[in-house]
Amino acid sequence: MGAMGLAKLVIIGGGIGGLATALFLGRRGHSVTVFEAENRWPTGNLDGDFFDWQRPRVPQATQPHAFMAPVRTILRTEAPDVYASMLRLGAREYHEFDWFDGHPPARPGDEDLVTTRTRRILLETTLYEAVSRESSVELRSGATVDGLVFGTPGDVPLVTGVRCGAEVHHADLVLDIAGRRSPVSGWLAQAGCRPAVVENHRIGIAYFSRWYRLSPGAEPEPKRISEVSVTPFAIGLVFPSDNDIFGVTLAISASDPTRAALRDPEVFDSLAAIFPGPGAWLARSAKGIGDMQIMAGLDNRWTALVDDAGPVVTGLLGVGDSITHTNPTLGQGVALTLLAAQRVASTVDGLDDHVRFASEYHEWAVRTLKPWFDHQVTVDRGDEAFLSGTAGMPALDAAARAQFALNPCALEDPIVMRAKAQVRHLVLAPQIAFGSDEVREHVARWLDEHPEFPSMPPGPSRDDWLAITGQPAQLI
């Protein structure tokens, strides 16, 4: 550590997580070098960067997004200029109670239940512009880190820097923010470190997405039409975004025999149009733009550099997908990444004891990030089973019926909507938000008023779907 407790850090990866972490650290006076293998940064041409920048190592970059509340709250704390720039460039705020004609009486915390609607490129662009102005941060593009440098052998291996070509860059702390394909675990194995503790759950869901631009004079945004439309074979989602652009995603089972047909933009447009939410948005004089965006072969993966014996390595921490990679269904990724970035920046002055620093970061991650990873796994297992099932509604016992009623009930009841928003925005765990007496009473009352529930939600039939995809029913 340098004078006044300031640290020298190396960050592997210059995406959103790397840029945000560098910014949070640089503004505290620490010296940071960011190594990014890609030979370019955002140019400020939002549409050009978004639609024309080929980024096969970052498939999520062009997928539809909605940033959960921690993104907004952390940026407004750590980098209010970045958040203000996002709004200036066209990002929009949406409070969960905007669904209703009026907000219910406010309770503490309601003010933060806000989604920031925008494409990822706006956040990446504004972060890059802010970081590039920080004198204590050096950005290196086209710089691939080849391996780790270790210090004097001890009871626990200590990373003291990285190799980039013939150069060695020493650091008090190395941050692995290289994403889900990070090579760091392999380097640790080559160095003889104990293996990281990895929990992996393969997810059999495929995502097909397309972007659309509204024509001038388009109809107003639909009111009280859910942005999520569910059938037993597909989930249709709308992602209102910045600058009159929105995305539509159709999520299906990765084993659905019709999946190849969704690669055709015309087929996709026709399918999206028969879902209530996407269809209402497409009817607003919308025109498809860009290529189809496809993600499959996904998993939820948790990686810990601490096992039962303690840290497997020190001087190295993971941030973002390097520690908690989650399927995009719930849109948690950037929020979890910024939480970790803020934690590192606010505690890095404790680096004098590397073992304690690594252990405390791990304990924080298990306490703060792991529950949301586990929640994602649970949700994905349910969605995968649902999408792989038959065309009918499942039989539900009383507890499952109440659980299944949370979403439709929230659209009519602000109390349940608040609980749903608290879970969606990583404020309260599901068992706490949905387990309160108040929420249970409101759901029970809603079920009494809807004795026919569960019934099939509005949406296309499988026959409608097959008529568009051209797939014979006997293949299903």
Side-chain angles (χ1 to χ4, degrees):
M1 297 281 286
M4 299 177 62
L6 297 180
K8 182 178 181 181
L9 301 102
V10 161
I11 292 176
I12 307 173
I16 284 176
L19 291 171
T21 308
L23 184 64
F24 299 169
L25 286 163
R27 290 190 171 178
R28 286 172 168 82
H30 302 289
S31 174
V32 186
T33 303
V34 179
F35 292 91
E36 168 53 44
E38 189 81 49
N39 196 27
R40 64 167 287 181
W41 300 103
T43 66
N45 178 356
L46 296 179
D47 284 351
D49 288 341
F50 188 72
F51 291 110
D52 301 331
W53 186 356
Q54 299 302 311
R55 308 174 74 177
R57 288 180 294 187
V58 195
Q60 69 272 25
T62 51
Q63 287 289 328
H65 275 76
F67 292 135
M68 301 300 102
V71 176
R72 175 177 178 265
T73 54
I74 291 171
L75 287 177
R76 294 207 306 176
T77 298
E78 300 286 343
D81 54 318
V82 169
Y83 192 72
S85 293
M86 289 176 64
L87 297 178
R88 177 178 52 80
L89 290 176
R92 298 184 298 147
E93 295 186 341
Y94 176 84
H95 195 284
E96 297 298 332
F97 287 149
D98 290 347
W99 170 264
F100 302 106
D101 291 333
H103 288 202
R107 295 183 182 179
D110 281 358
E111 67 278 6
D112 291 327
L113 300 178
V114 175
T115 301
T116 305
R117 293 173 160 181
T118 181
R119 291 170 291 170
R120 279 177 58 109
I121 193 63
L122 269 72
L123 174 55
E124 193 168 7
T125 296
T126 53
L127 281 171
Y128 168 71
E129 291 174 348
V131 172
S132 63
R133 294 190 294 267
E134 289 295 319
S135 60
S136 60
V137 178
E138 179 184 4
L139 295 173
R140 293 196 171 198
S141 61
T144 301
V145 174
D146 303 313
L148 302 172
V149 177
F150 289 84
T152 304
D155 292 338
V156 183
L158 172 65
V159 173
T160 59
V162 300
R163 294 192 310 274
C164 185
E167 296 180 281
V168 172
H169 298 267
H170 295 286
D172 298 309
L173 180 66
V174 174
L175 298 172
D176 174 16
I177 318 184
R180 59 179 178 145
R181 296 187 179 94
S182 170
V184 168
S185 292
W187 296 338
L188 294 176
Q190 292 171 10
C193 299
R194 302 194 310 275
V197 179
V198 178
E199 179 182 338
N200 193 78
H201 304 270
R202 195 69 169 175
I203 301 300
I205 301 175
Y207 299 87
F208 294 81
S209 302
R210 194 174 190 208
W211 289 93
Y212 300 86
R213 191 186 305 275
L214 295 170
S215 300
E219 292 292 321
E221 184 172 320
K223 286 287 292 180
R224 296 182 67 83
I225 295 181
S226 177
E227 292 159 7
V228 181
S229 305
V230 178
T231 75
F233 53 87
I235 302 173
L237 304 103
V238 180
F239 294 85
S241 195
D242 58 275
N243 298 299
D244 293 326
I245 290 176
F246 67 94
V248 172
T249 295
L250 297 179
I252 63 174
S253 170
S255 61
D256 191 313
T258 70
R259 62 191 180 278
L262 274 69
R263 294 178 177 272
D264 184 329
E266 292 186 5
V267 172
F268 183 89
D269 291 349
S270 297
L271 289 172
I274 61 176
F275 282 79
W281 278 79
L282 291 175
R284 301 175 61 208
S285 303
K287 181 179 179 181
I289 48 178
D291 299 327
M292 291 295 305
Q293 308 296 330
I294 302 169
M295 288 186 72
L298 301 172
D299 55 10
N300 292 306
R301 185 171 66 251
W302 172 265
T303 304
L305 297 178
V306 175
D307 61 16
D308 291 342
V312 304
V313 67
T314 60
L316 172 73
L317 295 182
V319 171
D321 285 356
S322 300
I323 178 174
T324 175
H325 169 62
T326 53
N327 198 30
T329 317
L330 300 179
Q332 298 182 145
V334 175
L336 297 177
T337 296
L338 293 195
L339 284 166
Q342 186 180 48
R343 167 71 187 193
V344 170
S346 61
T347 60
V348 74
D349 56 358
L351 269 176
D352 290 338
D353 185 333
H354 281 283
V355 172
R356 185 181 67 184
F357 186 77
S359 298
E360 290 179 350
Y361 180 73
H362 171 71
E363 292 166 1
W364 171 86
V366 168
R367 185 172 63 250
T368 307
L369 306 182
K370 186 63 161 55
W372 298 110
F373 171 87
D374 294 339
H375 176 53
Q376 181 76 65
V377 171
T378 299
V379 169
D380 283 343
R381 283 175 174 166
D383 286 348
E384 184 177 2
F386 184 68
L387 293 172
S388 302
T390 63
M393 292 296 296
L396 304 175
D397 60 23
R401 185 169 177 254
Q403 179 71 27
F404 208 73
L406 287 169
N407 284 336
C409 180
L411 300 181
E412 300 178 20
D413 188 322
I415 297 298
V416 182
M417 176 66 86
R418 176 183 286 110
K420 180 184 174 184
Q422 288 170 333
V423 174
R424 171 177 164 81
H425 290 287
L426 288 69
V427 175
L428 290 178
Q431 62 269 27
I432 297 175
F434 298 138
S436 72
D437 291 341
E438 181 183 42
V439 170
R440 287 202 302 265
E441 290 170 3
H442 279 247
V443 172
R445 185 181 310 131
W446 187 89
L447 285 169
D448 287 342
E449 296 169 354
H450 297 79
E452 77 288 353
F453 185 83
S455 57
M456 285 296 294
S461 68
R462 187 63 172 176
D463 287 340
D464 296 331
W465 180 276
L466 295 173
I468 295 172
T469 60
Q471 300 290 325
Q474 60 263 29
L475 290 180
I476 308 306

